[in-house]
Amino acid sequence: MATSFPVEPRVIVRSPRTFIERLRGGDQIALLTTLVCAVTIIVVVALIVVELWMNSQPAIKAFGWHFLTSSTWDPNAEKFGALPFIYGTCLTSALALLIAIPLGIAAAIFLAEMAPPQLSNLLTFLIELLAAVPSVIYGLLGIFVLVPLIRDCLVPVLVKFFGYLPIFQGDFYGVSFLSASLVLSVMVAPFIISVSREVLLAVPVEQREAALAVGATKWEATWQIVLPNASTGIIGSVFLALARALGETMAVTMVIGNTPKITASLFSPGYSIAAVIANEFAEASGRLYVSSLIFLGLVLFGLTIVINAVARILVLTTTQRSA
Amino acid sequence: MDLRVSRRRKIVNVVMLSLSGVCTALVMGVLFFILGYLFWHGAKSLNWNFLTQVPKPSGQTGGGVANAIAGSAKVLLLATCIGVPIGFLAGVYLAEYSGKTFAFTIRYVVDLLNGVPSIVIGIVAYALVVRPMGHYSALAGGVALGIMMIPIAVRTTEEFLRSVPNSMREGAMALGATRARTIFTVVAPAAISGLISGMMLNLARVAGETAPLLFTALGNMFWSRGWLQPIATLPVTIYNYAIAPEEDLHQQAWAAGFVLLFLVLGINVTARMIIARGSASARR
Amino acid sequence: MHVATFRQQLAKEPAIAAEGSGVQKTALAVKLQAENLNFYYGKFQALHGISLSIVTYKITAFIGPSGCGKSTFLRTMNRMNETVRNTRVEGKLLLDGQDLREMDVTFVRRRVGMVFQKSNPFPKTIFDNVAYGLRVNGVRSRPVIEAAVERSLRRAALWDEVKDKLRKPASALSGGQQQRLCIARALAVEPEVLLLDEPCSALDPIATLKIEELLFQIKDITTIVIVTHNMQQAARLADYTGFFLMGKLIEFDDTRKIFQNPSKKETEDYVTGRFG
């Protein structure tokens, strides 16, 4: 037998059995601590809902559903209606998506299907950095760069060719629905691009090859085969972008004009839910005024939750199907 | 086969593919034009006084945003102390302990929290901290941003802990390590670079948040002492200066925007480089 | 040591082998004993009534086709199966006559070490890898740890290769070295039993040989149980061999008996290669 090593006495032969010792081992403590933290998150979300609900009670009691359909916002007379803000939020978000979706998806197709991988990775990296730019900076750029640009270049063109449309009538002062929508579209485009690119890349290569093998052109393979495969995920990315646009505060506040009115013209200044809260909350006096603003917050919260839920479900179904 | 149809298809192919390239160029062009503008304009307005002085009383020119930079650091420190531990530990719970149903619930709630607009978080922090205390404070701002940090902290932690191979856990447990010991001495250290860079990205994300600070931290023209006073922060300062009528303040807004963007993108790039290097060495 | 030497040693094995009378009849000390052990993954029964005894300071090997339950059985012996959700064990498992499942689980795993199929060094330095088990088990004294690390690395026949780079990350080692590091790590806490789950399946023949040599070196300080799909390995190394099939222990006996004169038809088919 190869006995090159002596048998040495065993170091620790003691079973740690008491409760205290097992606690010191850390398992129970760790389980408990992490569980408490996980539950804390649920509590935080519950608190958000409860706080919004409780604090908007005065407004709910005073106005009821009428709050959502009334277009009067008069703090002096204590008359509050949310319609101009809901209108502004929905209009700017929808218009922003209308601009960002085609551009974003086209760019995503380019990055996923055509660009050489190195270029694609580099551009995606840059786009993801752009998604990280704080919204107040987009607002700053909106006020001082985009608005003058729109006034001097875009508006004359629009008026000249489409001036007969009701949406392009009236005077343009700079701050307006149009400016807010354009700033928003610049903000959500990186979002749509990076998520859509990922979804497109998740489509199996075999799908492309099968289409190309029966004689489809690259574009036909992309448009007819790859895109439908990825459509649910892309729609999901659009919904995520929508949720972001709806809740976006600073950039919109800085360029929308902060005037609570409902007009068809995109040139006219307006207001959005997030913007009115940002502008008036700190200075709001009177219980009903504050409560109305919080009620607006509750409406916004509800809107984004529904949109987010839809988006999650859509993204989830595609990624799971491809996995 | 009909040659003309085939030619038409080829033309469509080329046109559409080029169009997608043009769209990419357009998007990238717009985005980089405005950012380039910011860098150029901001760097021009930047000087040493700007970084070391507090704002001058209204009407006078000059002064800086030193108090806002320090204020942002303070509020972010608070936010990190609130958001990261809760998020990290909850992420540990999700990755290492939880059963299926409860984990699903938590993940759903985390997603929900992630989707809450930042202005709404501001309202809640106002109701929870500012109103009971009776005044605006750095603490309230920290709470608001801390809540905003939780979802990403949870998701990052869970993702990176799950990426640690199970054989690590088995190896440690086979030596007699408890589950907790395994997690905190083997699994978490194995994922450390991912965890740190994830938290950095998280911090960069909330560092630029303005809306939740408007009526929590509020703002301050002077140095703020302690944690319970209103405090100036970079994003709010940029906002206030940008909408102010004075041209001098606009210049300061540009410079402050430059500083903020430099910090945010700096943290971002560093974190992404850490992640990229980590995954490269893991492949090796 | 060389393979030929192993064979010679097999040839001059003690009396029990010559008697060919099987394990149960000998008077050797039993380290681990399973009695009528059943194991379930959810509703699926993976082990059916396993009963056997592992003899102290001997090498025991388990062979069988993949999915036969040999690894599962190995993992019940230090309760690693409990890390998998929704599993259940029935029957008795005795370590030195005491029921494993009534002991503290970390205590069991310290006494019964394990080496895995794929080497799994922690992303720490070589030194910290070997020291990990000691630290986990409450050893704080630096000199004690250093001595134990050197001793374990020597036993794992790795000391000469790594003594100058103890502070380097373990990932810098080759595959075979990593697996020996894992053995050293397991040996550092002085386990009474060392379980090895196909430790050589990912290694080349030379690295495999080194591991086999070192197992031979350490069998006088610890009881070794090895699962292998390599029959030659079992024949070279083991004093006793068990053959598993479809979750049942078909035959458990002296290694030479299993390979030369098995009493069951299934065993014969498997060791002669007629099985799937």
Side-chain angles (χ1 to χ4, degrees):
Chain A
M1 289 290 270
T3 31
S4 28
F5 299 103
V7 179
E8 278 145 65
R10 316 228 169 260
V11 240
I12 344 105
V13 187
R14 200 168 59 86
S15 168
R17 306 200 66 156
T18 66
F19 179 68
I20 299 293
E21 274 176 313
R22 252 183 296 153
L23 274 187
R24 208 169 46 199
D27 245 8
Q28 269 74 3
I29 287 183
L31 176 59
L32 215 68
T33 322
T34 56
L35 179 64
V36 164
C37 285
V39 171
T40 303
I41 298 174
I42 297 181
V43 172
V44 166
V45 173
L47 262 180
I48 292 176
V49 177
V50 168
E51 284 291 336
L52 289 176
W53 180 254
M54 296 302 287
N55 286 307
S56 50
Q57 277 309 309
I60 293 174
K61 286 211 181 88
F63 307 113
W65 289 109
H66 190 61
F67 183 76
L68 299 179
T69 54
S70 158
S71 54
T72 325
W73 184 266
D74 187 351
N76 294 325
E78 296 225 309
K79 289 253 180 290
F80 299 101
L83 200 59
F85 311 108
I86 297 174
Y87 175 76
T89 295
C90 294
L91 176 66
T92 48
S93 302
L95 197 57
L97 286 184
L98 210 64
I99 301 163
I101 289 171
L103 284 172
I105 292 179
I109 288 176
F110 177 79
L111 291 177
E113 304 289 324
M114 295 173 55
Q118 278 171 339
L119 178 68
S120 172
N121 287 340
L122 177 70
L123 291 182
T124 309
F125 175 75
L126 293 174
I127 286 171
E128 275 166 12
L129 281 189
L130 288 171
V133 172
S135 68
V136 69
I137 289 189
Y138 279 111
L140 186 66
L141 291 159
I143 294 184
F144 295 114
V145 186
L146 227 48
V147 165
L149 266 180
I150 296 168
R151 188 177 51 218
D152 299 340
C153 307
L154 185 64
V155 168
V157 175
L158 285 175
V159 169
K160 191 172 174 200
F161 292 102
F162 305 103
Y164 54 89
L165 291 173
I167 53 171
F168 296 130
Q169 274 169 9
D171 293 327
F172 184 83
Y173 299 110
V175 287
S176 61
F177 287 122
L178 182 66
S179 310
S181 307
L182 282 172
V183 172
L184 271 181
S185 71
V186 170
M187 290 182 67
V188 297
F191 217 67
I192 296 180
I193 297 174
S194 68
V195 180
S196 299
R197 170 182 174 268
E198 225 148 87
V199 181
L200 285 172
L201 286 177
V203 175
V205 186
E206 295 81 10
Q207 293 277 323
R208 296 181 181 84
E209 288 175 345
L212 294 175
V214 296
T217 61
K218 176 96 187 169
W219 171 253
E220 286 163 343
T222 306
W223 186 250
Q224 295 163 358
I225 306 298
V226 178
L227 215 55
N229 256 307
S231 59
T232 340
I234 291 178
I235 296 170
S237 83
V238 168
F239 272 87
L240 284 178
L242 177 60
R244 208 184 135 102
L246 288 176
E248 178 46 49
T249 312
M250 298 323 295
V252 173
T253 310
M254 290 161 91
V255 296
I256 198 168
N258 302 337
T259 313
K261 63 178 179 182
I262 304 174
T263 59
S265 173
L266 300 179
F267 291 170
S268 101
Y271 226 152
S272 79
I273 299 177
V276 72
I277 300 173
N279 265 326
E280 300 183 8
F281 196 87
E283 282 128 39
S285 54
R287 192 154 150 268
L288 200 56
Y289 193 2
V290 173
S291 169
S292 297
L293 286 169
I294 295 180
F295 193 12
L296 276 174
L298 184 64
V299 171
L300 185 63
F301 177 74
L303 259 176
T304 44
I305 282 190
V306 171
I307 304 283
N308 261 312
V310 174
R312 296 278 163 208
I313 290 166
L314 290 174
V315 172
L316 218 65
T317 40
T318 29
T319 45
Q320 276 180 353
R321 208 177 44 197
S322 67
Chain B
M1 195 177 276
D2 188 342
L3 205 72
R4 266 182 34 232
V5 171
S6 158
R7 186 179 299 148
R8 194 180 63 83
R9 285 173 55 204
K10 271 185 189 152
I11 291 170
V12 168
N13 184 39
V14 171
V15 167
M16 294 310 282
L17 292 182
S18 339
L19 210 60
S20 80
V22 169
C23 284
T24 312
L26 185 69
V27 172
M28 301 300 294
V30 168
L31 292 170
F32 282 99
F33 166 70
I34 53 184
L35 286 188
Y37 189 88
L38 175 83
F39 270 103
W40 175 69
H41 214 96
K44 211 175 58 180
S45 320
L46 201 62
N47 58 51
W48 188 244
N49 284 345
F50 182 76
L51 294 176
T52 54
Q53 292 187 355
V54 298
K56 286 271 165 59
S58 119
Q60 296 179 30
T61 56
V65 293
N67 61 335
I69 295 173
S72 266
K74 262 167 99 170
V75 171
L76 287 174
L77 180 69
L78 269 175
T80 309
C81 290
I82 294 166
V84 169
I86 293 179
F88 171 72
L89 290 172
V92 168
Y93 180 79
L94 280 182
E96 305 286 336
Y97 287 109
S98 76
K100 267 208 173 101
T101 335
F102 191 47
F104 179 83
T105 315
I106 293 173
R107 257 178 232 128
Y108 185 80
V109 170
V110 166
D111 273 348
L112 207 74
L113 185 56
N114 198 24
V116 177
S118 57
I119 187 92
V120 173
I121 303 269
I123 295 179
V124 173
Y126 174 88
L128 287 178
V129 186
V130 177
R131 200 142 64 181
M133 285 174 48
H135 53 86
Y136 301 101
S137 64
L139 179 67
V143 168
L145 296 189
I147 293 175
M148 294 199 66
M149 286 182 84
I150 291 176
I152 307 277
V154 174
R155 275 318 178 77
T156 310
T157 308
E158 192 191 356
E159 192 180 311
F160 282 104
L161 291 189
R162 278 190 195 281
S163 71
V164 174
N166 221 11
S167 61
M168 294 290 155
R169 296 181 183 83
E170 289 190 329
M173 281 197 272
L175 291 169
T178 58
R179 221 186 164 89
R181 189 103 192 202
T182 305
I183 295 166
F184 291 105
T185 61
V186 173
V187 182
I192 194 74
S193 72
L195 289 176
I196 288 178
S197 46
M199 295 307 164
M200 283 167 70
L201 287 175
N202 198 0
L203 187 71
R205 194 181 74 116
V206 298
E209 278 297 342
T210 318
L213 297 178
L214 287 174
F215 34 85
T216 50
L218 197 67
N220 195 333
M221 288 279 283
F222 311 101
W223 293 102
S224 163
R225 269 188 221 93
W227 305 95
L228 301 178
Q229 287 180 1
I231 192 166
T233 53
L234 261 183
V236 175
T237 304
I238 296 171
Y239 171 64
N240 287 333
Y241 284 8
I243 59 172
E246 294 96 333
E247 179 54 33
D248 182 56
L249 290 183
H250 293 173
Q251 291 307 318
Q252 296 214 8
W254 282 112
F258 175 80
V259 173
L260 179 64
L261 192 64
F262 187 79
L263 291 176
V264 167
L265 292 190
I267 298 174
N268 236 286
V269 172
T270 316
R272 280 165 201 276
M273 268 159 54
I274 294 174
I275 292 179
R277 211 183 48 191
S279 57
S281 71
R283 270 197 300 277
R284 219 179 325 115
Chain C
M1 209 184 294
H2 203 261
V3 184
T5 336
F6 290 173
R7 295 248 166 74
Q8 285 166 14
Q9 282 187 346
L10 265 181
K12 51 181 158 126
E13 262 298 293
I16 23 133
E19 285 164 22
S21 49
V23 186
Q24 277 76 10
K25 290 179 194 165
T26 66
L28 284 171
V30 171
K31 191 75 203 171
L32 256 170
Q33 193 176 10
E35 275 175 36
N36 200 16
L37 194 86
N38 292 318
F39 186 85
Y40 302 86
Y41 286 110
K43 288 205 176 90
F44 172 73
Q45 186 170 4
L47 292 176
H48 301 262
I50 309 291
S51 297
L52 58 72
S53 302
I54 308 282
V55 178
T56 310
Y57 299 137
K58 295 288 176 197
I59 298 182
T60 306
F62 295 140
I63 58 172
S66 48
C68 66
K70 54 192 194 301
S71 290
T72 303
F73 180 60
L74 198 75
R75 289 169 68 92
T76 60
M77 290 198 281
N78 68 343
R79 295 175 54 182
M80 280 307 283
N81 61 289
E82 289 172 13
T83 64
V84 181
R85 249 174 242 284
N86 208 9
T87 59
R88 191 158 52 88
V89 181
E90 282 172 2
K92 260 193 191 159
L93 254 177
L94 306 176
L95 176 63
D96 283 342
Q98 255 188 310
D99 196 330
L100 268 184
R101 287 189 288 153
E102 284 167 10
M103 294 182 217
D104 182 89
V105 65
T106 60
F107 182 60
V108 170
R109 291 183 187 147
R110 205 207 54 67
R111 289 176 65 186
V112 185
M114 189 166 207
V115 174
F116 297 84
Q117 182 166 4
K118 211 173 149 285
S119 63
N120 55 352
F122 303 137
K124 299 173 185 290
T125 63
I126 293 170
F127 184 91
D128 286 341
N129 258 282
V130 183
Y132 184 80
L134 295 165
R135 289 183 176 143
V136 156
N137 285 292
V139 182
R140 288 279 169 273
S141 151
R142 185 88 201 166
V144 171
I145 291 180
E146 273 172 2
V149 167
E150 178 175 345
R151 192 169 60 229
S152 311
L153 283 169
R154 279 188 193 283
R155 280 175 184 161
L158 196 60
W159 177 252
D160 293 333
E161 292 159 64
V162 302
K163 64 180 177 219
D164 300 325
K165 44 181 178 180
L166 291 174
R167 298 289 159 201
K168 292 267 165 62
S171 55
L173 298 175
S174 73
Q177 287 175 323
Q178 285 190 10
Q179 192 60 297
R180 274 182 283 149
L181 179 70
C182 291
I183 294 176
R185 190 175 68 189
L187 288 176
V189 292
E190 313 260 340
E192 295 158 47
V193 184
L194 185 63
L195 309 173
L196 299 107
D197 189 357
E198 304 196 15
C200 304
S201 65
L203 302 180
D204 61 67
I206 293 173
T208 302
L209 193 68
K210 280 202 173 136
I211 302 243
E212 288 180 8
E213 281 174 10
L214 94 86
L215 290 183
F216 236 81
Q217 301 262 341
I218 60 174
K219 71 180 264 194
D220 53 350
I221 55 162
T222 182
T223 306
I224 295 173
V225 184
I226 179 169
V227 160
T228 176
H229 58 240
N230 179 339
M231 280 181 280
Q232 284 74 33
Q233 187 170 54
R236 283 196 297 268
L237 279 175
D239 301 299
Y240 305 107
T241 298
F243 172 59
F244 279 78
L245 186 64
M246 311 273 286
K248 295 194 176 83
L249 180 63
I250 302 297
E251 193 170 353
F252 183 60
D253 213 325
D254 181 84
T255 296
R256 248 182 313 163
K257 178 136 191 321
I258 292 279
F259 283 99
Q260 288 167 9
N261 184 23
S263 47
K264 295 273 171 56
K265 174 85 168 52
E266 294 97 319
T267 316
E268 190 179 341
D269 284 352
Y270 185 73
V271 297
T272 53
R274 254 175 284 165
F275 185 91

